[in-house]
């Protein structure tokens, strides 16, 4: 196969077996890595536990249109990720494994899509090398094993880019996959899904192909298909809930997040540089050389590969400007960087093809980076793996086994707060957050942090409570406390204020 750099056969591609190509083996290895013990460890206190609970309430309430958290309207995100998780719950039961599986399956599929993009644009070797690089990216592996929507967002983003790269004058039907994938990305994470269509439109303008694209009937029929995917749920939510839907879905989670720091997630403009170093080591060391090389080569010969570089710039630049910054926001940048680094290594090999010593040096350096990246990712995943949290285990002890038992479980916060997300999921009970002397100060969203005075909560009835064991002696002066279970520094008990 040829591309803008000439024939791409830097390493003997004849070694790729047609019966069982290496990419199939790589996908199997990644699938094993992502699915192995996927259900171990309790759900993380924030997004992972929130999405798992929203999905569970879909199944329990039977309402697949209006999303709810703790039985209250929840308009933070579109429903696609929760729909898929809820379907798995319905088929196989509620558990951590099924809550995380949509993200893990998206990660496995993204390895394949990365290979296809690299193979089509630059050749089979670059596609395979890009897939290997992505497979040794710590952040990619970590977030693929995390029950949130960012890897699924990246999957649909790159499906759209792959379809765009396949477009030509003889086959415009790829526009259907372009726009349907963009629509699914929007249905996964709302405004986060605009990255793919924004990159495609900009590249169309750079390539001076925009006029030809909009004259294609397949372009507009693809746009119509996207609207048919996106519009129904959004229209229904607006018709049913009006201003409440707009204020939360767009006002808070798009406009407010884009203009000011929310929920204590303040950081500097170079926040993602540090995250890139942490999450993409050692490949991050090649990124500056890679970018310079790609720009230099493309200035000589414009090509559609600009879409990959532009996607990196959009993701990295846009999220660096937005004041609210989280590490998983830049997950969509990793497949593009993996492909571009694969191109960089391939070009180095080709440039030194007539000089065996340098060629072997490039091969050895590439192999060393793969080994270091794999070991770094394995060690990082091992040491950052979180076991079962005591609060989750005690919440299971407090679990409601009857739909009629709707008594709450109380979380008593001290210096460090207890968050309601995981206890709500594991206990199947309403959660009340309590304090004893002064209400804790928190920058977190009020939906998830709502403190009440413990004396008022326990004045008229016995309550279930999760608290720190060290607080029990002091509280015993004013409260009757009966401990039912312990785990680490925490205890699960019944409590009532003394008369």
């Amino acid at each position: 196969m040829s591309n803008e750099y000439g024939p791409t056969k830097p390493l003997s591609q004849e070694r790729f077996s047609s019966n069982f190509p290496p990419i199939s083996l790589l996908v199997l290895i990644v699938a094993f890595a992502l699915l192995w013990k996927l259900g171990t460890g309790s759900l993380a206190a924030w997004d992972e536990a929130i999405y798992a609970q929203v999905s569970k309430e879909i199944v329990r309430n039977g309402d697949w249109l209006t999303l709810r958290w703790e039985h209250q309207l929840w308009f933070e995100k579109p429903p696609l990720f929760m729909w898929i998780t809820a379907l798995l719950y319905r088929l196989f039961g509620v558990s951590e494994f099924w809550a995380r599986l949509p993200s893990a399956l998206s990660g496995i599929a993204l390895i394949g899509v990365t290979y296809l993009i690299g193979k089509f644009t630059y050749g089979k070797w670059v596609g395979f090398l890009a897939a290997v690089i992505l497979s040794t990216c710590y952040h990619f592996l970590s977030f693929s094993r995390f029950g949130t929507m960012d890897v699924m967002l990246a999957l649909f983003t790159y499906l759209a880019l792959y379809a765009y790269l396949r477009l030509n004058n003889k086959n415009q039907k790829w526009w259907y996959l372009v726009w349907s994938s963009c629509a699914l990305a929007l249905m996964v994470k709302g405004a986060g899904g605009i990255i793919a269509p924004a990159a495609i439109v900009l590249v169309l303008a750079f390539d001076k192909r925009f006029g030809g694209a909009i004259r294609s009937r397949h372009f507009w029929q693809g746009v119509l298909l996207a609207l048919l995917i996106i519009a129904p749920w959004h229209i229904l939510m607006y018709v049913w809930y009006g201003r409440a839907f707009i204020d939360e879905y767009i006002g808070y989670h798009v406009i407010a997040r884009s203009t000011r720091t929310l929920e204590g997630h303040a950081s500097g403009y170079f926040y993602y540089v540090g995250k890139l170093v942490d999450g993409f080591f050692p490949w991050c060391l090649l990124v500056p050389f890679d970018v310079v090389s790609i720009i230099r080569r493309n200035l000589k010969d414009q090509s559609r590969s600009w879409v990959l570089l532009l996607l990196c710039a959009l993701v990295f630049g846009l999220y660096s400007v937005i004041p609210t910054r989280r590490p998983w926001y830049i997950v969509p940048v990793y497949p593009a960087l993996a492909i571009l680094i694969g191109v960089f290594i391939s070009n180095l090999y080709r440039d030194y093809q007539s000089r065996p010593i340098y060629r072997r040096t490039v091969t050895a350096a590439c192999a060393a980076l793969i080994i270091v990246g794999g070991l770094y990712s394995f060690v990082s995943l091992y040491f950052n793996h979180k076991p079962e949290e005591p609060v989750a285990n005690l919440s299971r002890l407090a679990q409601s086994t009857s739909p009629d038992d709707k008594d709450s479980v109380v979380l008593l916060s001290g210096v460090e707060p207890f968050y309601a997300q995981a206890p709500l999921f594991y206990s199947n009970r309403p959660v009340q957050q309590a304090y004893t002397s002064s209400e804790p100060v928190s920058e977190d969203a009020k939906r998830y942090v709502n403190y009440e005075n413990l004396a008022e909560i326990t004045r008229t009835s016995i309550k279930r409570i999760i608290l720190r064991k060290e607080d029990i002696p002091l509280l015993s002066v004013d409260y009757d406390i009966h401990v039912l279970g312990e785990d680490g520094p925490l205890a699960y008990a019944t409590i009532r204020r003394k008369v």
Side-chain angles (χ1 to χ4, degrees):
M1 178 177 175
S2 297
N3 57 57
E4 64 270 24
Y5 306 132
T8 308
K9 292 186 179 181
L11 297 180
S12 52
Q13 293 183 6
E14 63 270 13
R15 295 178 184 175
F16 284 79
S17 168
S18 58
N19 295 326
F20 195 79
I23 186 60
S24 300
L25 178 60
L26 178 64
V27 169
L28 288 176
I29 292 172
V30 173
F32 178 80
L34 295 184
L35 298 179
W36 176 253
K37 294 187 176 181
L38 185 63
T40 60
S42 50
L43 297 173
W46 279 89
D47 291 10
E48 188 178 45
I50 291 171
Y51 302 153
Q53 178 65 25
V54 171
S55 303
K56 184 164 73 171
E57 294 196 22
I58 290 175
V59 176
R60 298 177 97 190
N61 300 331
D63 186 350
W64 290 74
L65 293 175
T66 302
L67 304 181
R68 292 179 171 83
W69 184 83
E70 203 174 18
H71 307 291
Q72 303 298 314
L73 296 176
W74 188 85
F75 298 130
E76 292 189 13
K77 296 291 186 291
L80 182 57
F81 184 87
M82 276 66 71
W83 282 345
I84 295 171
T85 307
L87 180 61
L88 292 172
Y89 285 172
R90 174 65 65 86
L91 293 174
F92 306 108
V94 177
S95 73
E96 295 92 341
F97 181 87
W98 302 113
R100 294 167 178 154
L101 185 64
S103 183
L105 292 179
S106 297
I108 296 167
L110 188 53
I111 292 291
V113 173
T114 300
Y115 167 76
L116 291 175
I117 293 174
K119 176 186 175 183
F120 179 79
T121 311
Y122 300 106
K124 185 182 292 185
W125 164 247
V126 171
F128 181 71
L129 182 56
V132 171
I133 293 170
L134 185 60
S135 301
T136 57
C137 171
Y138 162 54
H139 268 182
F140 165 74
L141 296 173
S142 176
F143 290 124
S144 293
R145 290 177 58 86
F146 195 58
T148 54
M149 51 193 60
D150 296 272
V151 178
M152 185 178 287
L153 169 66
L155 171 63
F156 289 126
T157 298
Y158 283 90
L159 271 176
L161 294 185
Y162 174 67
Y164 169 77
L165 292 169
R166 294 298 302 263
L167 282 166
N168 56 59
N169 292 331
K170 295 182 180 179
N171 189 354
Q172 292 284 300
K173 292 184 179 179
W174 285 100
W175 279 120
Y176 299 113
L177 183 56
V178 169
W179 291 121
S180 60
S181 297
C182 290
L184 291 171
L186 285 163
M187 288 298 291
V188 168
K189 204 173 180 183
I194 67 173
I195 294 294
I200 289 169
V201 168
L202 287 174
V203 171
L204 281 173
F206 288 161
D207 288 346
K208 299 180 181 179
R209 300 172 61 210
F210 191 77
I214 63 175
R215 287 193 293 271
S216 169
R217 66 182 177 87
H218 299 294
F219 177 94
W220 292 109
Q221 288 172 354
V223 171
L224 178 60
L225 176 61
L227 291 175
L228 290 175
I229 294 171
I230 296 168
W233 182 81
H234 288 85
I235 291 173
L236 278 176
M237 292 302 101
Y238 178 72
V239 170
W240 289 349
Y241 302 107
R243 186 63 181 270
F245 171 68
I246 297 297
D247 285 349
E248 182 174 351
Y249 187 74
I250 297 177
Y252 184 81
H253 289 285
V254 177
I255 297 175
R257 283 186 182 276
S258 301
T259 56
R260 66 179 188 270
T261 301
L262 297 180
E263 299 162 14
H265 300 317
S267 54
Y269 286 107
F270 295 102
Y271 174 81
Y272 290 116
V273 174
K275 293 302 174 184
L276 191 67
V277 172
D278 172 51
F280 201 46
F281 184 84
W283 304 106
C284 60
L285 302 175
L286 298 182
V287 169
F289 305 101
D290 177 33
V291 171
V292 171
S293 174
I294 294 294
I295 292 175
R296 179 174 59 83
R297 292 176 183 271
N298 277 276
L299 286 176
K300 296 178 180 179
D301 184 8
Q302 290 285 341
S303 81
R304 289 183 297 170
S305 63
W306 269 104
V307 69
L308 296 169
L309 197 59
L310 186 58
L311 179 67
C312 292
L314 279 174
V315 172
F316 206 83
L318 179 63
Y319 288 122
S320 293
V321 171
I322 292 176
T324 302
R325 303 180 182 97
R326 304 300 292 145
W328 47 83
Y329 286 179
I330 61 166
V331 166
V333 84
Y334 293 121
L337 285 178
I339 296 169
L340 294 177
I341 289 173
V343 174
F344 176 68
I345 294 173
S346 177
N347 287 335
L348 279 179
Y349 186 95
R350 182 171 61 86
D351 291 343
Y352 294 119
Q353 196 160 10
S354 61
R355 306 173 72 176
I357 294 178
Y358 291 105
R359 189 178 68 242
R360 293 190 190 101
T361 301
V362 171
T363 303
C366 181
L369 287 170
I370 290 171
I371 293 170
V372 171
L375 289 174
Y376 176 79
S377 297
F378 174 80
V379 171
S380 298
L381 287 171
Y382 179 81
F383 282 105
N384 288 296
H385 174 72
K386 294 183 178 180
E388 291 285 340
E389 294 288 343
V391 69
N393 289 330
L394 295 177
S395 296
R396 289 191 183 97
L397 288 180
Q399 190 174 58
S400 171
T401 57
S402 169
D404 297 327
D405 183 3
K406 297 181 180 179
D407 289 343
S408 63
V409 59
V410 179
L411 306 176
L412 181 62
S413 293
V415 177
E416 295 181 1
F418 282 138
Y419 294 113
Q421 294 89 337
L424 177 65
F425 179 85
Y426 288 110
S427 70
N428 289 329
R429 296 182 180 278
V431 173
Q432 292 178 279
Q433 295 163 291
Y435 64 93
T436 53
S437 55
S438 60
E439 181 175 349
V441 177
S442 174
E443 298 181 43
D444 298 308
K446 295 301 181 185
R447 173 195 295 277
Y448 305 112
V449 179
N450 185 20
Y451 293 107
E452 302 174 69
N453 190 287
L454 181 63
E456 295 298 323
I457 294 175
T458 58
R459 184 178 299 277
T460 58
S461 62
I462 298 174
K463 289 290 185 179
R464 298 171 176 84
I465 188 170
I466 296 174
L467 73 169
R468 291 173 175 81
K469 289 189 288 187
E470 63 186 28
D471 294 333
I472 293 176
L474 182 62
L475 290 172
S476 297
V477 176
D478 298 311
Y479 298 89
D480 292 317
I481 300 174
H482 178 57
V483 176
L484 304 174
E486 298 181 1
D487 191 338
L490 304 182
Y492 167 58
T494 59
I495 186 171
R496 183 172 183 174
R497 185 171 176 81
K498 293 179 178 179
V499 179

